């Protein structure tokens, strides 16, 4: 194995392409995410998941919750986000993102109930 990356000079994803990728991911996961809104909580909680993809859009490993809630009553929201990532597996990643796989293969996804419901 060579230590030098043959594509070290490859172009990087532009901010607009990142925006398109984030929009794509949000739309895909919104379809797979079902949760019951929890009313009356003083704490706003947005689950953040560490997700690792293979080049074909399948999960490389189990998604990991990066910020477990301090309030146990919020755990169902975190679990629903984990379930959504598994339910949507594999994602059909559009061809425009394929050349940039090394940039998007490891992502932190935020599951904000307010954004996802809007």
């Amino acid at each position: 194995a060579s230590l030098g990356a043959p594509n070290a000079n490859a172009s990087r994803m532009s901010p607009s392409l990142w925006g398109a990728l984030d929009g794509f991911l949000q739309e895909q996961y919104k379809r797979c995410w079902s949760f019951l809104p929890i009313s009356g909580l003083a704490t706003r909680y947005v689950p953040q998941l560490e997700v690792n993809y293979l080049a074909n859009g399948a999960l490389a490993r189990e998604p990991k919750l990066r910020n477990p809630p301090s309030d146990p009553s919020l755990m169902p929201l975190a679990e629903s986000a984990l379930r959504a990532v598994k339910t949507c597996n594999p994602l059909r990643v559009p061809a425009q993102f394929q050349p940039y796989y090394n940039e998007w293969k490891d992502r932190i996804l935020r599951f904000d109930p307010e954004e996802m419901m809007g």
Side-chain angles (χ1 to χ4, degrees):
S2 169
L3 292 177
N7 59 354
N9 295 328
S11 60
R12 307 212 21 107
M13 281 178 62
S14 66
S16 62
L17 203 53
W18 274 113
L21 176 64
D22 289 339
F24 164 76
L25 292 172
Q26 184 171 353
E27 282 304 309
Q28 295 300 304
Y29 289 127
K30 188 187 283 190
R31 291 185 191 135
C32 298
W33 194 25
S34 62
F35 64 93
L36 294 172
I38 304 169
S39 58
L41 289 176
T43 313
R44 185 164 181 269
Y45 174 61
V46 176
Q48 294 181 29
L49 306 184
E50 186 177 309
V51 182
N52 310 101
Y53 299 101
L54 299 173
N56 66 1
L59 293 174
R61 64 180 63 91
E62 286 286 307
K64 180 181 173 192
L65 181 64
R66 289 178 52 108
N67 63 337
S70 55
D71 182 343
S73 68
L74 291 168
M75 200 58 202
L77 184 59
E79 290 167 351
S80 70
L82 288 164
R83 236 185 350 268
V85 171
K86 293 176 191 174
T87 300
C88 272
N89 184 42
L91 291 179
R92 288 181 189 80
V93 179
Q96 70 193 46
F97 303 117
Q98 291 299 335
Y100 306 101
Y101 168 67
N102 282 331
E103 290 184 64
W104 58 259
K105 66 181 180 178
D106 301 312
R107 301 285 292 151
I108 303 299
L109 304 179
R110 297 176 75 252
F111 279 75
D112 187 335
E114 290 179 12
E115 287 177 20
M116 292 291 210
M117 291 175 70

